[in-house]
Amino acid sequence: MGSYNNLYLLSNLATLYIVLYLNILMYQYIINGKQKLSGEITVYGDKNTALKLIPATILSDEPCEVSNVPDITDVKIMIQIMQDLGTKVEKVDESTYIFDNSTINKTKIDASLAKKLRASTVLIGPMLAKFGEVSIPHPGGCIIGKRPIDIHLEAFKKLGAEIKADEEYYHITTSRLKGAKIIPHSISVTGTENIIMAACLAEGETVVEYAACEPSVIQLADFLNSRGAKIEGAGNPRIKITGVDSLKGGDVEVIPDRIEAGTFIILGALCGDINVKNLNPAHLEVFLEMLSQAGVKMERGENNIKVYHSPNLKATSMTTSAYPGFPTDLQAPFTLLMTQAQGISMIHETILEGRLSYTEWLNMMGANIIPCDPHRVLVSGPTPLYGKKIVSPDIRAGIALVMASLIAQGQSHIDNIDLVDRGYANLDERLTSLGASIVRNQIN
Ligand code: EPU
């Protein structure tokens, strides 16, 4: 009990620090567990693709329209950063925006905004390619680990950029980027996307070996190609980019969020029969196979998956890896699922550090999860869970704690849900429409 109180106190101190530092409103969820869920839920546009397509509009002075944009905090911050640089943003409807970047009048990214969004790093590629300079604050660490940007910086140097750093900012400049062969030391999603955006206006040919293959990379390359770029091989580990002098405007519709889709599929397996609509099952092949092996009952359609409450789950070990492997962003929901499975499963997180710390919260709720080392835990199940006062540590752990509260006996209070809002739009409304008892409270 002592360690529970310490964890709660420490997490709330961290929350208080964020509230004071970033001057933002804080909310909590109050959830009454054990409600049976049923119905349909529609998956929104992919956060991590929208966060690249929007900066990719900077590469041209002609307007670009981006639709199916999710209404989440991270996207709003990215739009605010670009507006601060001078981009004119027209909201056409609730999920469609037109970006006119012909009015950009500065190249220094606002530090207070960039600190709220690690993905602001993806502004470097397009800003550098278009304007020959960009100043961006050091990203620093985050709750899910150190998350360095050395791959990005090394790639920009290879492309001919000069990088100077002062206490707060990197100042990156070039007269014109020149194509190069780039082999990062690890597969990096935003690293690959940044290189593609920088190289498409560089002189000559760039080849990226060991590129990330995520659907976000493919859609980014398709969007740029539709505007005149020459990018071949996106979706494979070797991508070739032949630089062009300019890009035109264009339209793009953000692909469905495979992480949101996978999360709702696990939700159905845990607490109801749910038709998860507007997804692309091909983006989730390994995940769906693992769920089938664990005993989750599903019916696969072209753009939807019907998932059925699956009480007879089998322990299934899982290792996260780069796409098309099991996504790290679904590791926490899968670990929760394994707390309800018969037997012992090993969860091995290979992509991001610090992504297993939330398992302490699940243990507080009644799970039996033993840490082996910073990257692996053993989950013994099934164990009943009980409602508690808990704190969301990050987006993906946060959604797992929301789902844990939905299957727990009694009431849970989850603080710091602003982090969950960064990845899942209107979550409380959507869960309520499935029959969940979930209320959002402002706490400051
Ligand atoms: N890495 C380096 N140096 C770098 C960049 C990455 O060592 O310069 C290491 C990282 O420390 C990590 C690994 O490479 O161990 C992979 O990191 P990656 O660069 O692929 O992560 P990212 O691009 O920063 C994106 C998503 C994350 C998602 C990861 C892995 C966006 C905006 N973010 O991050 O999404 O977990 O890929 O798939 O695309 C989330 O949505 O909750 C989230 C964290």
Side-chain angles (χ1 to χ4, degrees):
M1 194 59 195
S3 83
Y4 170 75
N5 284 334
N6 288 344
L7 187 60
Y8 189 68
L9 185 67
L10 276 174
S11 305
N12 268 326
L13 281 174
T15 308
L16 187 65
Y17 170 78
I18 294 166
V19 172
L20 294 175
Y21 184 67
L22 298 176
N23 192 21
I24 47 181
L25 295 176
M26 301 300 288
Y27 295 89
Q28 68 173 188
Y29 280 141
I30 299 176
I31 297 176
N32 292 303
K34 291 267 175 224
Q35 318 290 324
K36 176 121 168 81
L37 307 192
S38 65
E40 291 183 348
I41 192 159
T42 300
V43 173
Y44 291 157
D46 182 34
K47 163 174 96 70
N48 288 342
T49 304
L51 286 173
K52 323 307 167 43
L53 296 177
I54 293 172
T57 64
I58 291 174
L59 286 159
S60 160
D61 275 348
E62 291 180 17
C64 295
E65 185 176 290
V66 187
S67 56
N68 200 29
V69 175
D71 186 24
I72 51 175
T73 320
D74 275 17
V75 167
K76 288 177 190 158
I77 298 170
M78 180 62 87
I79 292 175
Q80 278 174 31
I81 294 176
M82 286 176 46
Q83 281 174 319
D84 178 67
L85 294 173
T87 305
K88 269 197 221 140
V89 182
E90 185 191 336
K91 191 165 181 180
V92 179
D93 62 36
E94 59 178 21
S95 64
T96 307
Y97 296 82
I98 296 175
F99 297 91
D100 175 355
N101 294 291
S102 62
T103 45
I104 289 187
N105 52 23
K106 65 176 183 178
T107 55
K108 188 170 183 179
I109 290 164
D110 181 84
S112 59
L113 288 171
K115 284 203 165 88
K116 295 182 191 171
L117 180 66
R118 233 200 90 79
S120 54
T121 325
V122 290
L123 287 156
I124 304 176
M127 290 295 289
L128 193 58
K130 186 75 195 320
F131 301 105
E133 60 177 46
V134 60
S135 297
I136 186 150
H138 302 282
C142 73
I143 195 86
I144 53 177
K146 284 204 286 292
R147 305 189 71 194
I149 60 161
D150 56 315
I151 290 174
H152 305 241
L153 299 179
E154 281 309 310
F156 294 129
K157 276 194 216 156
K158 279 241 164 89
L159 292 169
E162 195 183 326
I163 302 176
K164 290 191 181 138
D166 60 26
E167 270 186 15
E168 197 177 7
Y169 273 87
Y170 289 113
H171 303 280
I172 310 175
T173 51
T174 181
S175 49
R176 181 166 181 198
L177 297 172
K178 288 198 175 55
K181 182 167 185 165
I182 298 171
I183 310 179
H185 62 72
S186 320
I187 300 175
S188 167
V189 179
T190 48
T192 303
E193 292 159 336
N194 236 339
I195 297 166
I196 290 176
M197 289 191 276
C200 68
L201 291 185
E203 192 184 319
E205 190 177 288
T206 297
V207 173
V208 193
E209 304 281 2
Y210 209 30
C213 302
E214 265 68 3
S216 61
V217 177
I218 301 175
Q219 189 171 39
L220 174 65
D222 287 347
F223 178 45
L224 293 170
N225 282 341
S226 74
R227 295 164 52 201
K230 291 189 179 154
I231 303 160
E232 294 165 56
N236 296 290
R238 182 170 199 270
I239 300 178
K240 188 171 101 181
I241 306 119
T242 308
V244 296
D245 287 336
S246 63
L247 295 187
K248 52 185 177 133
D251 299 347
V252 66
E253 182 183 335
V254 180
I255 53 174
D257 191 324
R258 69 197 163 98
I259 303 303
E260 203 182 70
T263 304
F264 295 147
I265 292 169
I266 289 181
L267 179 70
L270 286 170
C271 40
D273 301 341
I274 300 178
N275 185 7
V276 186
K277 289 169 54 181
N278 186 37
L279 55 82
N280 185 344
H283 290 165
L284 284 164
E285 294 293 2
V286 173
F287 168 81
L288 294 173
E289 178 57 27
M290 297 290 298
L291 256 53
S292 294
Q293 284 179 24
V296 174
K297 295 192 188 69
M298 292 172 281
E299 264 171 46
R300 178 173 169 155
E302 214 173 295
N303 311 104
N304 76 306
I305 291 188
K306 280 188 190 159
V307 56
Y308 299 96
H309 180 224
S310 308
N312 299 316
L313 294 166
K314 295 190 286 275
T316 307
S317 293
M318 182 279 283
T319 300
T320 60
S321 58
Y323 190 85
F326 193 103
T328 172
D329 295 336
L330 284 169
Q331 176 262 109
F334 187 82
T335 303
L336 169 67
L337 186 75
M338 287 302 101
T339 67
Q340 304 308 303
Q342 182 70 49
I344 299 178
S345 39
M346 161 85 77
I347 305 297
H348 188 176
E349 171 57 60
T350 66
I351 307 287
L352 295 169
E353 313 181 327
R355 263 218 160 160
L356 289 166
S357 54
Y358 72 92
T359 53
E360 275 194 62
W361 287 116
L362 290 181
N363 281 342
M364 304 299 175
M365 296 178 77
N368 182 1
I369 305 177
I370 301 168
C372 307
D373 60 39
H375 289 277
R376 291 178 305 165
V377 292
L378 283 173
V379 186
S380 298
T383 46
L385 300 183
Y386 301 94
K388 291 277 176 194
K389 286 187 169 184
I390 45 185
V391 180
S392 163
D394 72 72
I395 307 179
R396 309 307 178 185
I399 193 74
L401 294 176
V402 168
M403 295 200 291
S405 306
L406 290 171
I407 60 171
Q409 200 171 308
Q411 192 172 74
S412 297
H413 292 219
I414 310 182
D415 288 356
N416 225 6
I417 58 151
D418 313 75
L419 288 174
V420 181
D421 292 341
R422 291 181 55 176
Y424 305 86
N426 312 324
L427 186 68
D428 43 343
E429 285 165 35
R430 290 153 93 196
L431 293 178
T432 302
S433 77
L434 292 173
S437 164
I438 173 168
V439 174
R440 170 186 292 258
N441 252 354
Q442 190 179 319
I443 54 170
N444 65 338

